[in-house]
Amino acid sequence: MSSVPQSKDELLFAINSIFPKLMDDYRIVPESLSRKCELEGNIKGTQISVCDTVTYLVGWGKLVLKWHSLKSQGLPVDFPDTGYKWNQLGLLAVSFHDEYSDWKYEDLLKELDSTINELISLVSSLSNEELYETTWYEKWTLGRMIQFNTSSPMKNMRTKVRRFNKSNGLS
């Protein structure tokens, strides 16, 4: 199997294999350290917290759900989001951090869990043809757009969180 999912089953496998491991890594982090800014941010030279990595995944997950909802109703979609261009993803990430800045860590984890489960339900409800055999946005399929914003960044965030846990003596 290639590292990039090529089918509905592979996409579900990719999400379902990384997500529980990532949640285990998140659950090791105590609330007291969850806002400590020690992780490399999405903008070069910035540092973010474990909470920020959660809000990044929640933010992108919710965007994918919004894109799908709008498109399936035949409504226009501002990609990646209203007020942002594709070359401003660092700023978009910061907007996610800001949006959830006063949330408790435990509530963020619950939000991530429900967002990812909603995405898994969405993928499960669609056919392989809808996900991988039809162009959905420019040259990309919906399956690829979902993967770009779920399993791929989850792997990246897991590396950061594991590094954070190790450097803080958590395991």
Side-chain angles (χ1 to χ4, degrees), residues 2 10-12 14 29 32 43 51 56 59 63 76 86 89 91 93 102-103 130 136 138 151 165 171:
S2 82
E10 288 180 13
L11 178 60
L12 287 169
V29 179
S32 60
I43 297 175
C51 280
Y56 180 89
L63 265 186
W86 287 112
L89 299 184
L91 294 172
D102 54 356
W103 283 47
E130 291 169 298
W136 193 79
E138 292 185 355
S151 58
N165 287 350
S171 56

Side-chain angles (χ1 to χ4, degrees), residues 1-166:
M1 188 161 73
S2 82
S3 59
V4 175
Q6 304 292 326
S7 69
K8 172 181 175 169
D9 290 343
E10 288 180 13
L11 178 60
L12 287 169
F13 180 80
I15 296 169
N16 286 319
S17 47
I18 186 77
F19 185 57
K21 294 174 191 160
L22 176 63
M23 288 303 280
D24 288 345
D25 294 328
Y26 277 140
R27 289 198 178 97
I28 294 169
V29 179
E31 175 94 38
S32 60
L33 294 179
S34 67
R35 295 263 175 210
K36 191 174 175 187
C37 289
E38 277 188 359
L39 295 89
E40 191 184 324
N42 297 84
I43 297 175
K44 198 173 163 59
T46 63
Q47 296 222 299
I48 61 172
S49 68
V50 170
C51 280
D52 292 332
T53 68
V54 180
T55 67
Y56 180 89
L57 294 170
V58 168
W60 277 106
K62 289 193 171 301
L63 265 186
V64 170
L65 292 165
K66 178 172 119 178
W67 297 339
H68 181 265
S69 173
L70 289 169
K71 264 189 95 115
S72 58
Q73 297 171 66
L75 297 169
V77 181
D78 282 335
F79 287 99
D81 199 11
T82 306
Y84 296 92
K85 295 188 173 14
W86 287 112
N87 64 357
Q88 297 176 306
L89 299 184
L91 294 172
L92 183 55
V94 170
S95 79
F96 298 147
H97 305 164
D98 293 346
E99 185 180 344
Y100 296 98
S101 62
D102 54 356
W103 283 47
K104 282 197 176 89
Y105 183 53
E106 189 52 44
D107 293 334
L108 283 173
L109 292 181
K110 284 180 186 148
E111 190 71 7
L112 177 60
D113 192 56
S114 86
T115 302
I116 298 304
N117 282 310
E118 222 178 309
L119 284 159
I120 290 169
S121 296
L122 172 63
V123 172
S124 299
S125 75
L126 297 167
S127 68
N128 193 66
E129 185 182 358
E130 291 169 298
L131 286 163
Y132 281 97
E133 295 166 29
T134 318
T135 307
W136 193 79
Y137 169 71
E138 292 185 355
K139 65 179 179 175
W140 306 108
T141 63
L142 177 55
R144 206 71 168 101
M145 292 295 283
I146 292 172
Q147 177 248 319
F148 284 142
N149 297 297
T150 57
S151 58
S152 291
M154 282 181 208
K155 284 180 188 149
N156 181 15
M157 294 308 173
R158 184 163 188 237
T159 303
K160 290 181 183 191
V161 173
R162 288 173 68 95
R163 200 176 297 140
F164 176 88
N165 287 350
K166 197 173 179 183

